């Protein structure tokens, strides 16, 4: 199973590494970091991840994982090769997935038109304008497409996908290996629970 983990400038590392840690270690998986051009790609936090392959080197991956990040708007405008690759690769993939604002790239490629999908809460309107039917769920599975809400939801997405591919028992073992048992110290992880002034500040930050 070839899994394409897509890289582009300004992506968020956890959007990619969360699903990677869930999916990549499984037997038979060949994980590929792909980008428009092979080489180092700088995430929005400054972390550098190296793409070992160009997009064109992997035209028909079995699984596609598209992260989001603060560079989402620039990616929508500038990553034309990536969007074209997504549109071309999607019909051949078994699963196409996104995390956070990565769903806007799937939508730009025409993959989410008229389909339920989720994204980071601050860009739900953008996703709707791109043709998706926006959901507020943390993970949405619609046929062969799986979308996850903001950043940390990528781990949930990976586990849901692992259950679909390898069965629930395997997914549960992965969760235990990762000791994924969230107990956040604050109740501000949702737009519904955070103070309104914090919500607006974060909205401005993400929207640029």
């Amino acid at each position: 199973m070839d899994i394409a983990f897509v890289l582009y400038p300004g992506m968020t590392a956890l959007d990619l590494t969360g699903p990677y840690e869930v999916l990549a270690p499984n037997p038979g998986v060949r994980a590929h970091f792909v980008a428009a051009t092979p080489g180092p790609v700088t995430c929005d936090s400054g972390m550098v991840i190296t793409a070992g392959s160009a997009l064109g080197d992997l035209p028909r991956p079995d699984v596609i994982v598209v992260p989001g990040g603060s560079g989402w708007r620039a990616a929508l405008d500038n990553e034309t090769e990536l969007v074209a690759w997504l549109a071309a690769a999607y019909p051949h993939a078994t699963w196409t997935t996104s995390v956070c604002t990565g769903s806007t790239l799937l939508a730009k490629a025409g993959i989410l038109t008229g389909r339920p999908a989720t994204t980071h809460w601050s860009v739900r309107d953008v996703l709707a304008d791109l043709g998706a039917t926006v959901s507020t769920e943390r993970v949405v599975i619609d046929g062969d497409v799986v979308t996850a809400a903001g950043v940390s939801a990528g781990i949930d997405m990976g586990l849901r996908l692992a259950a679909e591919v390898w069965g629930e028992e395997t997914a549960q073992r992965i969760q235990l290996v990762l000791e994924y048992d969230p107990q956040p110290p604050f109740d501000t992880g949702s737009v519904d629970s955070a103070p309104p002034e914090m919500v607006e500040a974060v909205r401005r930050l993400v929207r640029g």
Side-chain angles (χ1 to χ4, degrees):
M1 176 187 294
D2 291 301
I3 304 182
F5 292 91
V6 174
L7 308 182
Y8 59 88
M11 52 164 278
T12 294
L14 184 56
D15 283 15
L16 193 80
T17 59
Y20 181 90
E21 292 296 340
V22 173
L23 301 171
N26 290 283
V29 170
R30 294 173 296 277
H32 308 266
F33 286 162
V34 299
T37 304
V41 177
T42 303
C43 301
D44 53 12
S45 64
M47 179 184 290
V48 176
I49 303 176
T50 300
S53 304
L55 294 167
D57 296 334
L58 198 67
R60 295 189 175 191
D62 300 294
V63 180
I64 300 168
V65 179
V66 182
S70 61
W72 67 273
R73 193 183 296 277
L76 279 181
D77 294 337
N78 303 323
E79 294 291 328
T80 55
E81 184 176 350
L82 169 55
V83 171
W85 178 85
L86 288 170
Y90 165 69
H92 308 286
T94 304
W95 297 98
T96 298
T97 75
S98 67
V99 181
C100 195
T101 53
S103 57
T104 62
L105 289 166
L106 296 187
K108 186 72 177 287
I111 296 168
L112 300 182
T113 302
R115 305 180 70 161
T118 190
T119 190
H120 192 278
W121 57 265
S122 65
V123 298
R124 289 171 181 164
D125 60 328
V126 176
L127 188 61
D129 289 343
L130 289 167
T133 301
V134 178
S135 169
T136 59
E137 297 295 319
R138 189 162 172 83
V139 177
V140 173
I141 300 178
D142 182 61
D144 56 358
V145 176
V146 189
T147 54
V151 192
S152 63
I155 299 174
D156 301 64
M157 184 277 289
L159 290 169
R160 291 281 297 275
L161 182 57
E164 294 285 337
V165 175
W166 296 292
E168 287 192 4
E169 184 176 343
T170 295
Q172 289 169 6
R173 283 201 303 268
I174 294 169
Q175 181 175 350
L176 180 57
V177 167
L178 298 178
E179 199 174 354
Y180 183 52
D181 185 25
Q183 300 175 43
F186 310 108
D187 188 23
T188 54
S190 163
V191 66
D192 297 320
S193 60
E197 62 274 14
M198 183 179 294
V199 170
E200 288 309 308
V202 172
R203 190 191 307 275
R204 289 194 297 269
L205 177 67
V206 176
R207 296 294 291 261

